[in-house]
Amino acid sequence: MARIVMKFGGTSVADLDRIHNVARHVKREVEAGNQVAVVVSAMAGKTNELVNWVQSMPKVTGAKASFYDAREYDAVVASGEQVTSGLLAIALQAMGVDARSWHGWQIPIKTDNVHGAARILDIDGTELIRRFETGQVAVIAGFQGVGPDNRIATLGRGGSDTSAVAIAAAVKADRCDIYTDVDGVYTTDPRIVPNARRMKKIAFEEMLEMASLGAKVLQVRSVELAMVHKVRTFVRSSFDDPDAPGMSDPLNPPGTLICDEEEIVEQEVVTGIAYAKDEAQISLRRVADRPGVSAAVFGPMAEAHINVDMIVQNISEDGSRTDMTFTVPSADVDKALQQLEKSRERIGFDVVQSETGLAKVSVIGIGMRSHAGVAATAFKALAEKSINIKAITTSEIKISILIDGAYAELAVRTLHSVYGLDKS
Ligand code: ADP
Ligand code: ASP
Ligand code: MG
C-alpha cells in the first residue's frame, strides 16, 4: 500500500466525460490498495474566462494607476477548481468510491497574502491523513489556499501543480503523479517539435530551468517544492487507458520521473530546449556610466513588480556614457516605460527604445558544466538559419538567447536537432 497524490490539469477535466475518465484513474489506485488525495484544476479555458471577466470590470482609479481588488480577483478565479472538485467527488461516489471535496481553506492550505500569486506557507495534513485511514479519497481544489487575512488566495497560473506537490509533502506521500495531456516531459514542447523525445527521468535542476524558461508542463514553484521536500514526482498522461497493465506500478508508473541528478545514469550534455514568447526589450541610450545607475534603473522596476530578465550593459567608450538593454514580459512594457520616464532625471539617459514580440530560446543541460563549446554550437546553428541574436545570458547549466519572435519555432527546431535530441 502507498499513499499517493494524483493531480489532473485542465485538459484532463475539460468536460464531464473526461471527469468520469479521471474518476476511473482514481478508482484504479484505490482498488490497488492505495490511500489517495486528488488535486484538480479548473476545466480547460475556465480560468482564462474568469480572469477575462475580472479584467473587463470597471476599475477603481487611484493616484498612480487604476486597479481592482486582488482579493476579489482571487474570489472569482478560484471558483473554477471548486466546480471540478465537487464534480469529481460526485463521479467517484457514483462508482462506489468514498470521496469528498475540499476547498483550500477547509484543509487548511495557508498562504501569504500576495493575492493572485500567493505562496503556500503551511498545510495541516492531519484531517486528510485521518480520513485516508478510513479509506476516503480527498478531492482537493487546486490553485487555492487561504491567506492571513482569512480570504481565498490563488497561487499564480499553473498553480495546481504546486498545490499537488505541497500536499504530497504535507501528508508524506510516497508519490505525486501529475496527470496532463502529454505522457511525460519531452526534450522540448512536443506541440512544436513532433520529433521531441520523452524522457524517462529528468533531474530537478534541469526541470527547474525548463519550467522557468518557459516549458509550462510544471509550474516552477512545484518543482522547487519537489526538490526541497524530495517528493517523487511523475508527469504522466490522463489519456492513457486507466485500466491498461502497469498503470498502478508502485515504483515505476508510465511517465517521466523528476529526480536527483545521481539517479540518472546516462546524462546527456544537453537535456532539453525551452522557449518563452512575448518578451520585450528596452534599451536606454547614452546612460550616465557611474555608480548607482543600475540601482536607479532597476529599483523602480522592482517597485512596480516588473520581472526584469536579461540585462546587457555596454562598456562605455568615453568613460561617461553607455547603453543599457534589458528584457521584460511584453505585457509590462508600458508600465516599465512609465517607470523610466518618472526616474529620467535620476537615471540620466538620452533616449529610451523598446521592442516587443521577441522570444527567448534556451538550451538546458547539467552536462554543460563539464563540456565546452555548447554555446558556440547554438550560435553557429542559428547563424546558418540567418536568425539574428539580440542578447545572450548563460549560467552553469543553461544558455538563453533572445531573438525575433517570428523565428522562435524555427530556432527551437534547429537547436533541438543540432544537439541530437530528435527522435531517431
Ligand atoms: P495541465 O492543464 O495539465 O496543467 P499544461 O497545459 O499546463 O497542462 O502543460 C502541459 C503542456 O505543456 C503540454 O500540452 C505541452 O504542450 C507543454 N509543454 C511545454 N514544454 C513541454 C515539455 N518539454 N514536455 C512536455 N510538455 C511540454
Ligand atoms: N486553473 C489554473 C490555471 O489555469 C491553475 C492550474 O490549472 O494549474 O492557471
Ligand atoms: Mg499546467
Side-chain angles (χ1 to χ4, degrees):
M1 187 208 68
R3 181 176 288 167
I4 59 181
V5 174
M6 309 170 76
K7 180 259 173 178
F8 294 89
T11 337
S12 307
V13 294
D15 56 37
L16 299 185
D17 280 345
R18 291 203 181 153
I19 291 178
H20 188 76
N21 187 57
V22 164
R24 290 176 57 208
H25 281 287
V26 175
K27 185 169 194 245
R28 179 196 68 233
E29 297 294 353
V30 173
E31 285 177 347
N34 297 314
Q35 297 182 342
V36 180
V38 189
V39 173
V40 283
S41 289
M43 291 175 168
K46 191 70 206 176
T47 310
N48 285 346
E49 182 182 54
L50 296 168
V51 169
N52 288 337
W53 284 350
V54 172
Q55 286 172 346
S56 314
M57 293 298 283
K59 298 189 177 65
V60 178
T61 312
K64 286 190 184 155
S66 50
F67 61 91
Y68 51 77
D69 186 337
R71 293 163 299 192
E72 303 306 348
Y73 166 96
D74 277 349
V76 176
V77 302
S79 66
E81 274 68 14
Q82 295 171 192
V83 172
T84 40
S85 62
L87 290 173
L88 180 58
I90 291 171
L92 285 165
Q93 289 167 7
M95 287 179 173
V97 178
D98 182 14
R100 73 152 273 189
S101 67
W102 295 84
H103 293 179
W105 63 269
Q106 292 169 322
I107 291 178
I109 297 175
K110 291 191 183 154
T111 70
D112 63 16
N113 63 1
V114 184
H115 284 277
R119 281 167 82 94
I120 296 176
L121 300 178
D122 180 52
I123 298 181
D124 183 350
T126 324
E127 188 57 19
L128 292 179
I129 292 171
R130 196 183 69 74
R131 295 196 186 216
F132 283 148
E133 273 142 24
T134 71
Q136 190 178 67
V137 172
V139 185
I140 302 162
F143 182 51
Q144 58 168 272
V146 57
D149 52 2
N150 208 26
R151 312 244 349 223
I152 296 179
T154 62
L155 309 179
R157 298 307 304 270
S160 297
D161 298 326
T162 300
S163 309
V165 175
I167 289 162
V171 301
K172 302 202 167 29
D174 298 286
R175 217 170 76 212
C176 180
D177 287 354
I178 307 280
Y179 286 81
T180 181
D181 54 6
V182 282
D183 59 358
V185 180
Y186 280 70
T187 44
T188 193
D189 189 344
R191 281 180 213 290
I192 295 218
V193 182
N195 252 341
R197 269 190 282 130
R198 184 166 69 81
M199 293 179 246
K200 215 47 209 136
K201 295 179 177 178
I202 178 170
F204 285 121
E205 282 184 63
E206 288 170 323
M207 192 63 236
L208 207 51
E209 290 286 6
M210 292 277 280
S212 33
L213 295 168
K216 75 168 190 169
V217 60
L218 286 177
Q219 199 197 33
V220 179
R221 183 79 186 123
S222 72
V223 187
E224 285 169 0
L225 286 180
M227 184 155 118
V228 170
H229 297 284
K230 300 248 177 276
V231 178
R232 258 185 113 65
T233 304
F234 286 87
V235 175
R236 53 189 297 190
S237 171
S238 69
F239 298 143
D240 285 346
D241 175 3
D243 303 310
M247 288 292 281
S248 286
D249 185 338
L251 295 175
N252 208 11
T256 301
L257 171 67
I258 327 289
C259 60
D260 277 325
E261 200 178 325
E262 291 75 45
E263 267 194 66
I264 300 177
V265 185
E266 276 179 53
Q267 187 68 58
E268 311 274 349
V269 177
V270 170
T271 316
I273 314 290
Y275 69 96
K277 285 186 170 173
D278 295 323
E279 302 275 314
Q281 171 177 297
I282 296 179
S283 298
L284 297 172
R285 301 289 174 211
R286 296 185 49 77
V287 188
D289 191 13
R290 56 173 163 72
V293 165
S294 294
V297 173
F298 298 114
M301 298 296 138
E303 276 161 30
H305 302 285
I306 298 170
N307 202 353
V308 174
D309 184 16
M310 300 171 140
I311 302 176
V312 183
Q313 189 185 329
N314 283 352
I315 293 174
S316 153
E317 216 173 288
D318 59 1
S320 73
R321 297 262 156 188
T322 178
D323 290 341
M324 190 184 266
T325 297
F326 59 93
T327 63
V328 298
S330 279
D332 286 340
V333 170
D334 290 342
K335 205 162 48 158
L337 293 175
Q338 279 168 17
Q339 291 294 96
L340 290 171
E341 278 309 328
K342 271 198 276 176
S343 320
R344 193 181 189 113
E345 297 244 314
R346 196 146 53 96
I347 305 170
F349 58 86
D350 262 10
V351 272
V352 52
Q353 295 163 329
S354 65
E355 190 181 356
T356 53
L358 306 181
K360 183 174 66 174
V361 181
S362 306
V363 178
I364 296 135
I366 282 180
M368 273 187 223
R369 283 188 197 135
S370 51
H371 278 78
V374 179
T377 306
F379 304 152
K380 182 158 173 272
L382 295 179
E384 278 165 8
K385 300 280 178 195
S386 306
I387 299 173
N388 187 36
I389 298 175
K390 292 171 178 287
I392 302 163
T393 52
T394 60
S395 80
E396 239 192 346
I397 67 164
K398 70 120 209 268
I399 305 157
S400 292
I401 299 169
L402 190 70
I403 59 172
D404 193 301
Y407 298 108
E409 294 175 11
L410 175 62
V412 171
R413 281 196 296 269
T414 303
L415 295 174
H416 194 265
S417 123
V418 80
Y419 292 111
L421 298 174
D422 286 349
K423 204 161 39 189
S424 50

Short mmCIF file of all heavy atoms in Angstrom, two decimals, residues 36-79:
data_model
loop_
_atom_site.label_atom_id
_atom_site.label_comp_id
_atom_site.label_asym_id
_atom_site.label_seq_id
_atom_site.Cartn_x
_atom_site.Cartn_y
_atom_site.Cartn_z
N VAL A 36 -5.43 7.79 -1.26
CA VAL A 36 -5.36 8.73 -2.38
C VAL A 36 -5.91 10.12 -2.06
O VAL A 36 -7.01 10.25 -1.50
CB VAL A 36 -6.15 8.16 -3.59
CG1 VAL A 36 -6.08 9.12 -4.78
CG2 VAL A 36 -5.63 6.79 -4.00
N ALA A 37 -5.14 11.14 -2.43
CA ALA A 37 -5.67 12.51 -2.47
C ALA A 37 -5.57 12.95 -3.93
O ALA A 37 -4.58 12.67 -4.60
CB ALA A 37 -4.87 13.44 -1.59
N VAL A 38 -6.61 13.61 -4.42
CA VAL A 38 -6.63 14.07 -5.80
C VAL A 38 -6.66 15.60 -5.79
O VAL A 38 -7.38 16.19 -5.00
CB VAL A 38 -7.88 13.56 -6.55
CG1 VAL A 38 -7.77 13.85 -8.04
CG2 VAL A 38 -8.09 12.08 -6.31
N VAL A 39 -5.87 16.21 -6.65
CA VAL A 39 -5.91 17.67 -6.80
C VAL A 39 -6.39 17.96 -8.23
O VAL A 39 -5.86 17.38 -9.18
CB VAL A 39 -4.51 18.28 -6.59
CG1 VAL A 39 -4.51 19.77 -6.90
CG2 VAL A 39 -4.05 18.04 -5.15
N VAL A 40 -7.38 18.82 -8.35
CA VAL A 40 -7.89 19.12 -9.70
C VAL A 40 -7.74 20.59 -10.07
O VAL A 40 -7.81 21.47 -9.22
CB VAL A 40 -9.38 18.74 -9.86
CG1 VAL A 40 -9.54 17.24 -10.02
CG2 VAL A 40 -10.22 19.28 -8.73
N SER A 41 -7.54 20.80 -11.36
CA SER A 41 -7.57 22.16 -11.94
C SER A 41 -9.00 22.47 -12.37
O SER A 41 -9.87 21.61 -12.34
CB SER A 41 -6.73 22.21 -13.21
OG SER A 41 -5.38 22.13 -12.92
N ALA A 42 -9.19 23.69 -12.83
CA ALA A 42 -10.46 24.08 -13.44
C ALA A 42 -10.54 23.46 -14.83
O ALA A 42 -9.52 23.10 -15.41
CB ALA A 42 -10.52 25.60 -13.55
N MET A 43 -11.74 23.33 -15.37
CA MET A 43 -11.90 22.82 -16.74
C MET A 43 -11.10 23.71 -17.70
O MET A 43 -11.03 24.93 -17.50
CB MET A 43 -13.38 22.85 -17.14
CG MET A 43 -14.23 21.86 -16.38
SD MET A 43 -15.96 22.11 -16.85
CE MET A 43 -16.71 20.65 -16.16
N ALA A 44 -10.54 23.10 -18.75
CA ALA A 44 -9.71 23.85 -19.71
C ALA A 44 -10.41 25.14 -20.15
O ALA A 44 -11.59 25.11 -20.50
CB ALA A 44 -9.43 22.98 -20.92
N GLY A 45 -9.70 26.24 -20.13
CA GLY A 45 -10.25 27.52 -20.60
C GLY A 45 -11.02 28.29 -19.53
O GLY A 45 -11.26 29.48 -19.67
N LYS A 46 -11.41 27.60 -18.45
CA LYS A 46 -12.27 28.25 -17.44
C LYS A 46 -11.54 29.38 -16.73
O LYS A 46 -12.09 30.47 -16.55
CB LYS A 46 -12.73 27.20 -16.42
CG LYS A 46 -13.82 27.68 -15.50
CD LYS A 46 -15.10 27.83 -16.27
CE LYS A 46 -16.03 28.84 -15.67
NZ LYS A 46 -17.24 29.04 -16.51
N THR A 47 -10.29 29.12 -16.32
CA THR A 47 -9.56 30.17 -15.58
C THR A 47 -9.36 31.39 -16.47
O THR A 47 -9.52 32.53 -16.01
CB THR A 47 -8.23 29.62 -15.04
OG1 THR A 47 -8.49 28.39 -14.37
CG2 THR A 47 -7.58 30.58 -14.08
N ASN A 48 -9.04 31.16 -17.75
CA ASN A 48 -8.90 32.31 -18.66
C ASN A 48 -10.18 33.11 -18.72
O ASN A 48 -10.17 34.34 -18.70
CB ASN A 48 -8.57 31.83 -20.09
CG ASN A 48 -7.14 31.36 -20.19
OD1 ASN A 48 -6.33 31.63 -19.31
ND2 ASN A 48 -6.83 30.65 -21.26
N GLU A 49 -11.30 32.39 -18.81
CA GLU A 49 -12.59 33.09 -18.89
C GLU A 49 -12.82 33.93 -17.63
O GLU A 49 -13.21 35.11 -17.70
CB GLU A 49 -13.71 32.06 -19.06
CG GLU A 49 -15.07 32.69 -19.19
CD GLU A 49 -16.19 31.65 -19.30
OE1 GLU A 49 -16.27 30.76 -18.41
OE2 GLU A 49 -16.97 31.71 -20.25
N LEU A 50 -12.53 33.33 -16.47
CA LEU A 50 -12.76 34.05 -15.20
C LEU A 50 -11.84 35.28 -15.10
O LEU A 50 -12.27 36.36 -14.69
CB LEU A 50 -12.52 33.10 -14.02
CG LEU A 50 -13.49 31.91 -13.93
CD1 LEU A 50 -12.99 30.88 -12.91
CD2 LEU A 50 -14.90 32.37 -13.57
N VAL A 51 -10.57 35.10 -15.51
CA VAL A 51 -9.62 36.22 -15.47
C VAL A 51 -10.12 37.34 -16.40
O VAL A 51 -10.12 38.52 -16.02
CB VAL A 51 -8.20 35.75 -15.89
CG1 VAL A 51 -7.27 36.94 -16.11
CG2 VAL A 51 -7.62 34.80 -14.85
N ASN A 52 -10.59 36.96 -17.60
CA ASN A 52 -11.09 37.98 -18.53
C ASN A 52 -12.29 38.72 -17.97
O ASN A 52 -12.41 39.93 -18.14
CB ASN A 52 -11.47 37.34 -19.88
CG ASN A 52 -10.23 36.94 -20.65
OD1 ASN A 52 -9.15 37.48 -20.41
ND2 ASN A 52 -10.37 35.98 -21.55
N TRP A 53 -13.15 38.00 -17.29
CA TRP A 53 -14.31 38.67 -16.68
C TRP A 53 -13.84 39.73 -15.69
O TRP A 53 -14.30 40.86 -15.70
CB TRP A 53 -15.20 37.65 -15.96
CG TRP A 53 -16.04 36.82 -16.88
CD1 TRP A 53 -16.24 37.02 -18.22
CD2 TRP A 53 -16.79 35.65 -16.53
NE1 TRP A 53 -17.06 36.04 -18.73
CE2 TRP A 53 -17.42 35.19 -17.71
CE3 TRP A 53 -17.00 34.95 -15.34
CZ2 TRP A 53 -18.23 34.06 -17.73
CZ3 TRP A 53 -17.81 33.82 -15.36
CH2 TRP A 53 -18.42 33.38 -16.54
N VAL A 54 -12.90 39.34 -14.83
CA VAL A 54 -12.41 40.30 -13.83
C VAL A 54 -11.80 41.51 -14.53
O VAL A 54 -12.10 42.66 -14.19
CB VAL A 54 -11.36 39.64 -12.90
CG1 VAL A 54 -10.73 40.68 -12.00
CG2 VAL A 54 -12.00 38.53 -12.08
N GLN A 55 -11.01 41.24 -15.57
CA GLN A 55 -10.33 42.35 -16.24
C GLN A 55 -11.28 43.25 -17.01
O GLN A 55 -10.95 44.40 -17.29
CB GLN A 55 -9.21 41.81 -17.13
CG GLN A 55 -8.05 41.36 -16.26
CD GLN A 55 -6.95 40.63 -17.01
OE1 GLN A 55 -7.15 40.22 -18.15
NE2 GLN A 55 -5.81 40.45 -16.37
N SER A 56 -12.45 42.74 -17.35
CA SER A 56 -13.41 43.57 -18.09
C SER A 56 -14.25 44.45 -17.16
O SER A 56 -15.04 45.27 -17.63
CB SER A 56 -14.39 42.70 -18.89
OG SER A 56 -13.72 41.72 -19.57
N MET A 57 -14.13 44.26 -15.86
CA MET A 57 -14.94 45.06 -14.94
C MET A 57 -14.36 46.46 -14.82
O MET A 57 -13.16 46.66 -15.02
CB MET A 57 -14.94 44.41 -13.54
CG MET A 57 -15.65 43.07 -13.48
SD MET A 57 -17.39 43.18 -13.89
CE MET A 57 -18.07 43.85 -12.38
N PRO A 58 -15.20 47.45 -14.50
CA PRO A 58 -14.66 48.80 -14.28
C PRO A 58 -13.69 48.78 -13.10
O PRO A 58 -13.88 48.00 -12.15
CB PRO A 58 -15.91 49.63 -13.94
CG PRO A 58 -17.03 48.68 -13.78
CD PRO A 58 -16.64 47.36 -14.32
N LYS A 59 -12.66 49.61 -13.16
CA LYS A 59 -11.64 49.60 -12.12
C LYS A 59 -11.73 50.85 -11.25
O LYS A 59 -12.33 51.85 -11.65
CB LYS A 59 -10.25 49.53 -12.76
CG LYS A 59 -10.04 48.26 -13.57
CD LYS A 59 -8.61 48.12 -14.01
CE LYS A 59 -8.36 46.83 -14.74
NZ LYS A 59 -9.09 46.72 -16.02
N VAL A 60 -11.12 50.78 -10.08
CA VAL A 60 -11.03 51.95 -9.20
C VAL A 60 -9.88 52.80 -9.71
O VAL A 60 -8.81 52.27 -10.01
CB VAL A 60 -10.72 51.51 -7.75
CG1 VAL A 60 -10.57 52.70 -6.83
CG2 VAL A 60 -11.78 50.55 -7.25
N THR A 61 -10.09 54.11 -9.83
CA THR A 61 -8.99 54.95 -10.31
C THR A 61 -8.27 55.57 -9.12
O THR A 61 -8.88 56.28 -8.31
CB THR A 61 -9.54 56.06 -11.23
OG1 THR A 61 -10.42 55.43 -12.16
CG2 THR A 61 -8.42 56.75 -11.98
N GLY A 62 -6.99 55.27 -9.00
CA GLY A 62 -6.20 55.79 -7.87
C GLY A 62 -5.25 56.86 -8.34
O GLY A 62 -5.29 57.28 -9.50
N ALA A 63 -4.35 57.29 -7.44
CA ALA A 63 -3.42 58.37 -7.77
C ALA A 63 -2.46 57.94 -8.87
O ALA A 63 -2.15 58.71 -9.78
CB ALA A 63 -2.67 58.78 -6.51
N LYS A 64 -1.96 56.70 -8.79
CA LYS A 64 -0.91 56.27 -9.73
C LYS A 64 -1.46 55.43 -10.88
O LYS A 64 -0.94 55.47 -11.98
CB LYS A 64 0.14 55.45 -8.98
CG LYS A 64 1.03 56.31 -8.10
CD LYS A 64 2.18 55.47 -7.59
CE LYS A 64 3.04 56.28 -6.63
NZ LYS A 64 3.76 55.44 -5.71
N ALA A 65 -2.47 54.62 -10.60
CA ALA A 65 -2.97 53.70 -11.64
C ALA A 65 -4.39 53.29 -11.29
O ALA A 65 -4.85 53.54 -10.18
CB ALA A 65 -2.07 52.47 -11.71
N SER A 66 -5.06 52.66 -12.27
CA SER A 66 -6.37 52.12 -11.93
C SER A 66 -6.19 50.64 -11.59
O SER A 66 -5.28 49.99 -12.09
CB SER A 66 -7.33 52.32 -13.10
OG SER A 66 -6.75 51.87 -14.28
N PHE A 67 -7.03 50.15 -10.69
CA PHE A 67 -6.80 48.78 -10.22
C PHE A 67 -8.11 48.14 -9.78
O PHE A 67 -9.14 48.81 -9.63
CB PHE A 67 -5.81 48.80 -9.05
CG PHE A 67 -6.30 49.60 -7.87
CD1 PHE A 67 -7.03 49.00 -6.85
CD2 PHE A 67 -6.06 50.98 -7.80
CE1 PHE A 67 -7.48 49.74 -5.77
CE2 PHE A 67 -6.53 51.72 -6.72
CZ PHE A 67 -7.24 51.10 -5.71
N TYR A 68 -8.05 46.82 -9.63
CA TYR A 68 -9.16 46.13 -8.98
C TYR A 68 -8.62 45.42 -7.75
O TYR A 68 -7.41 45.21 -7.62
CB TYR A 68 -9.86 45.15 -9.94
CG TYR A 68 -8.92 44.20 -10.64
CD1 TYR A 68 -8.41 43.09 -9.97
CD2 TYR A 68 -8.54 44.40 -11.97
CE1 TYR A 68 -7.55 42.22 -10.60
CE2 TYR A 68 -7.67 43.54 -12.60
CZ TYR A 68 -7.18 42.45 -11.91
OH TYR A 68 -6.31 41.60 -12.52
N ASP A 69 -9.54 45.05 -6.86
CA ASP A 69 -9.18 44.43 -5.59
C ASP A 69 -8.71 42.99 -5.85
O ASP A 69 -9.49 42.15 -6.28
CB ASP A 69 -10.43 44.46 -4.70
CG ASP A 69 -10.16 43.97 -3.29
OD1 ASP A 69 -9.18 43.22 -3.10
OD2 ASP A 69 -10.95 44.34 -2.40
N ALA A 70 -7.42 42.74 -5.59
CA ALA A 70 -6.86 41.41 -5.90
C ALA A 70 -7.53 40.30 -5.08
O ALA A 70 -7.56 39.15 -5.50
CB ALA A 70 -5.35 41.42 -5.63
N ARG A 71 -8.11 40.66 -3.93
CA ARG A 71 -8.79 39.64 -3.12
C ARG A 71 -10.07 39.18 -3.83
O ARG A 71 -10.45 38.02 -3.76
CB ARG A 71 -9.13 40.20 -1.73
CG ARG A 71 -7.87 40.47 -0.92
CD ARG A 71 -8.15 41.37 0.24
NE ARG A 71 -8.64 42.68 -0.21
CZ ARG A 71 -8.75 43.74 0.56
NH1 ARG A 71 -8.45 43.67 1.83
NH2 ARG A 71 -9.20 44.89 0.08
N GLU A 72 -10.70 40.12 -4.54
CA GLU A 72 -11.92 39.74 -5.28
C GLU A 72 -11.55 38.97 -6.56
O GLU A 72 -12.27 38.07 -6.99
CB GLU A 72 -12.77 40.97 -5.60
CG GLU A 72 -13.19 41.78 -4.37
CD GLU A 72 -13.90 40.96 -3.29
OE1 GLU A 72 -14.29 39.80 -3.53
OE2 GLU A 72 -14.04 41.48 -2.16
N TYR A 73 -10.41 39.34 -7.16
CA TYR A 73 -9.90 38.55 -8.30
C TYR A 73 -9.79 37.09 -7.85
O TYR A 73 -10.28 36.18 -8.52
CB TYR A 73 -8.53 39.11 -8.73
CG TYR A 73 -7.71 38.21 -9.66
CD1 TYR A 73 -7.74 38.39 -11.04
CD2 TYR A 73 -6.89 37.21 -9.13
CE1 TYR A 73 -6.97 37.58 -11.88
CE2 TYR A 73 -6.12 36.40 -9.97
CZ TYR A 73 -6.18 36.59 -11.33
OH TYR A 73 -5.42 35.78 -12.15
N ASP A 74 -9.16 36.89 -6.69
CA ASP A 74 -8.99 35.52 -6.20
C ASP A 74 -10.33 34.84 -5.92
O ASP A 74 -10.50 33.65 -6.20
CB ASP A 74 -8.13 35.52 -4.93
CG ASP A 74 -6.64 35.56 -5.27
OD1 ASP A 74 -6.30 35.38 -6.46
OD2 ASP A 74 -5.83 35.75 -4.34
N ALA A 75 -11.28 35.61 -5.37
CA ALA A 75 -12.59 35.02 -5.07
C ALA A 75 -13.23 34.50 -6.35
O ALA A 75 -13.88 33.45 -6.37
CB ALA A 75 -13.49 36.06 -4.41
N VAL A 76 -13.00 35.22 -7.45
CA VAL A 76 -13.60 34.82 -8.72
C VAL A 76 -12.83 33.66 -9.35
O VAL A 76 -13.40 32.62 -9.67
CB VAL A 76 -13.65 36.02 -9.71
CG1 VAL A 76 -14.18 35.58 -11.07
CG2 VAL A 76 -14.50 37.15 -9.14
N VAL A 77 -11.51 33.82 -9.51
CA VAL A 77 -10.77 32.83 -10.31
C VAL A 77 -10.61 31.49 -9.60
O VAL A 77 -10.39 30.47 -10.26
CB VAL A 77 -9.40 33.33 -10.84
CG1 VAL A 77 -9.56 34.57 -11.69
CG2 VAL A 77 -8.42 33.56 -9.73
N ALA A 78 -10.74 31.48 -8.26
CA ALA A 78 -10.61 30.21 -7.54
C ALA A 78 -11.83 29.32 -7.75
O ALA A 78 -11.81 28.13 -7.43
CB ALA A 78 -10.40 30.46 -6.05
N SER A 79 -12.90 29.90 -8.30
CA SER A 79 -14.14 29.14 -8.37
C SER A 79 -14.07 27.97 -9.36
O SER A 79 -14.75 26.96 -9.20
CB SER A 79 -15.31 30.05 -8.73
OG SER A 79 -15.13 30.56 -10.04
#
